[in-house]
Amino acid sequence: MIPRYSRPEMAAVWAPENVFRIMFEIEAHACDALAEAGVIPADAAKAVRERGDKPYTPERIARIDEIEAETKHDVIAFLTELSEQVGEEARFVHQGMTSSDALDTRFAVQLAQAADILLADLDRLLAALKTRAEEHKLTPTIGRSHGIHAEPTTFGVKLATYYAEFSRARDRLTNARAEVATCAISGPVGTFASVEPGIEEYVAGKLGLAPETVSTQIIPRDRHAMFFATLGVIASSMERLATEIRHLQRTEVREAEEFFSEGQKGSSSMPHKRNPVLTENITGLARIVRAAVVPAMENVATWHERDISHSSVERMIAPDATVTLDFALARLAGVVEKLVVYPDAMRGNLDNLRGLVFSQRVLLALTQAGMSREDAYAAVQRNAMEVWKNGADFLTALKSDADVTDKLPEDDLTALFDLGYHTRNVDAIFARVFG
């Protein structure tokens, strides 16, 4: 996490204040449940809540760090500082629990918090895509395959494909959040020998988590692997949209462009430059998010019931991946909201190949008129190549080809060059995407 690519709300999820606050809630809720079960005195649970429920100030955090420097154990350091706040009744804290009960459950809460922020980010991006797609629903543009002009589409349809993709991303993240939001308070090796299952169920309910089906002292890391894999897929979708915008902003294309604000500078040496810096930045940040996926998958394999080979990895990838994705999603939403679109340039580029984009319609019409597909393809292609080589007009060339006009009268040929043919099902596409 570096400030340049961090937003305050997501950064706060991983701040020590939130870490220790969640751990306190876990321990306090566990004490409440243990008191209700008659395992510890009710007064002790009350004392933990009343005396320990204080803000984790820089002074408290420094004290925890000081204790950890001596004990070399983060959970013991936390519990020791808590006992200093609570007093004698603190001996009932952490009854029957093991470190992973606190750490894994706390991590689940943080991932759920992070997911909620990311879901809100996706909602903003989806709203922007829908607004701009509807705005340009019938704005004609050229569709490209292999980077080469293919057939006409609309800019609205182009944006609708991204709306559908990020809708799927939202569904995946919703599922990944549910899968990772589990609570484990099952004691050493997960057998509930020292703490009853009802304690876990109580704490899970208070924290908005589901009880872990079977823990092995740690929550199985396949859940986390799926969570980070989902973040990686979202990052890849972001890169796809960012790359599209970067291509559209190229000088030779210039169909759309990142908003260039008053006073903004594009180059230290060339005053004329307007560069796609935001989408280039998003492309780079997507790589950072995806870099968390393989380590998360490698964390799935642990020794027997528990080791901590996953711990150091998660301390790195969880803040980095979620903070980076949060920043990048917000940036991408802003790019879409302010994207400058040039419909005239789109139409100019669409016409650039002088009608070649209608070649399939001519091919199909010739086959419908009785010409074999092979002969029809040859006839259309030889006229198309003249356009490529000599800059001829495609319709004019076709009207001069006896093999073509023998099957298709000139008026029928002209009718095939109707842009509306390619946009007639836009409403149907939008109905599928937006409902």
Side-chain angles (χ1 to χ4, degrees):
M1 283 195 306
I2 61 173
R4 185 180 184 92
Y5 301 124
S6 301
R7 300 203 305 159
E9 186 181 8
M10 185 65 86
V13 170
W14 305 104
E17 296 87 344
N18 192 49
V19 170
F20 296 129
R21 163 52 54 182
I22 297 169
M23 289 179 68
F24 169 76
E25 292 295 333
I26 293 167
E27 298 290 351
H29 288 315
C31 284
D32 291 339
L34 289 164
E36 188 174 321
V39 177
I40 69 172
D43 287 347
K46 183 179 180 182
V48 170
R49 174 63 67 180
E50 290 181 350
R51 298 176 200 160
D53 192 5
K54 303 173 184 176
Y56 277 90
T57 61
E59 292 75 20
R60 288 192 72 184
I61 294 169
R63 176 59 181 152
I64 294 171
D65 292 342
E66 179 185 11
I67 299 168
E68 185 178 355
E70 178 182 351
T71 63
K72 307 298 191 294
H73 197 290
D74 54 350
V75 176
I76 290 176
F78 164 78
L79 294 171
T80 301
E81 192 278 338
L82 181 59
S83 72
E84 293 174 352
Q85 302 291 330
V86 173
E88 179 184 354
E89 292 87 348
R91 70 184 189 274
F92 296 109
V93 175
H94 209 64
Q95 286 280 310
M97 295 169 59
T98 187
S99 296
S100 294
D101 292 333
L103 295 175
D104 277 12
T105 301
R106 180 260 295 165
F107 191 38
V109 172
Q110 287 179 284
L111 290 177
Q113 291 174 341
D116 289 339
I117 295 171
L118 294 173
L119 287 167
D121 293 339
L122 284 168
D123 286 340
R124 178 187 169 193
L125 176 57
L126 286 166
L129 286 168
K130 182 178 181 181
T131 296
R132 303 310 302 272
E134 290 174 342
E135 177 186 351
H136 292 285
K137 181 177 180 179
L138 295 176
T139 300
T141 190
I142 187 62
R144 299 171 174 90
S145 59
H146 305 275
I148 307 301
H149 286 204
E151 292 195 353
T153 181
T154 76
F155 193 60
V157 169
K158 188 187 285 280
L159 293 177
T161 67
Y162 292 101
Y163 181 93
E165 184 167 345
F166 283 104
S167 295
R168 295 191 295 272
R170 195 189 193 287
D171 290 342
R172 292 188 193 107
L173 183 56
T174 299
N175 292 334
R177 183 201 186 281
E179 189 170 341
V180 83
T182 61
C183 171
I185 297 183
S186 52
V189 303
T191 60
F192 295 103
S194 56
V195 57
E196 292 297 315
I199 307 303
E200 180 184 74
E201 293 167 5
Y202 179 90
V203 176
K206 289 293 184 180
L207 297 175
L209 305 176
E212 176 56 51
T213 311
V214 182
S215 69
T216 64
Q217 188 166 326
I218 61 172
I219 293 174
R221 258 44 194 182
D222 63 292
R223 296 181 180 275
H224 305 76
M226 181 55 69
F227 183 87
F228 287 102
T230 299
L231 301 191
V233 174
I234 293 171
S236 294
S237 295
M238 293 172 59
E239 183 175 3
R240 188 172 87 89
L241 176 51
T243 300
E244 177 70 19
I245 293 170
R246 290 167 62 193
H247 278 306
L248 294 178
Q249 186 163 338
R250 287 185 300 121
T251 305
E252 295 79 3
V253 179
R254 204 165 176 241
E255 294 179 358
E257 184 178 41
E258 291 179 11
F259 178 75
F260 197 82
S261 62
E262 187 72 27
Q264 183 175 341
K265 304 293 187 290
S267 168
S268 64
S269 58
M270 296 169 283
H272 72 279
K273 294 297 291 297
R274 292 161 66 110
N275 301 327
V277 292
L278 300 180
T279 45
E280 288 175 339
N281 173 251
I282 291 164
T283 298
L285 295 177
R287 298 168 186 168
I288 297 298
V289 177
R290 285 196 301 269
V293 177
V294 171
M297 291 185 174
E298 291 176 341
N299 276 352
V300 174
T302 55
W303 284 19
H304 305 298
E305 279 61 52
R306 187 228 182 180
D307 67 36
I308 61 166
S309 58
H310 57 85
S311 176
S312 57
V313 177
E314 290 166 351
R315 290 173 192 264
M316 298 285 288
I317 67 172
D320 283 353
T322 55
V323 168
T324 302
L325 187 60
D326 169 55
F327 179 90
L329 278 169
R331 172 155 285 183
L332 184 57
V335 168
V336 175
E337 288 165 352
K338 295 183 176 182
L339 188 69
V340 181
V341 180
Y342 298 111
D344 290 343
M346 290 180 178
R347 186 56 192 255
N349 286 337
L350 196 157
D351 295 335
N352 185 262
L353 290 184
R354 297 168 296 283
L356 286 186
V357 295
F358 298 102
S359 69
Q360 182 186 202
R361 282 209 78 190
V362 180
L363 168 66
L364 296 179
L366 287 171
T367 61
Q368 290 289 323
M371 188 180 288
S372 73
R373 183 176 179 85
E374 291 74 15
D375 290 344
Y377 196 103
V380 174
Q381 187 180 45
R382 69 170 174 262
N383 285 283
M385 292 306 104
E386 284 301 311
V387 176
W388 277 109
K389 294 174 183 176
N390 302 318
D393 177 76
F394 188 44
L395 179 57
T396 301
L398 291 169
K399 288 180 178 180
S400 301
D401 189 314
D403 291 338
V404 174
T405 55
D406 182 56
K407 297 293 184 182
L408 295 174
E410 289 191 3
D411 288 347
D412 290 351
L413 271 172
T414 300
L416 297 176
F417 285 67
D418 175 22
L419 188 62
Y421 172 85
H422 293 275
T423 61
R424 71 190 192 282
N425 286 316
V426 169
D427 283 338
I429 296 170
F430 269 56
R432 287 184 175 185
V433 175
F434 302 110

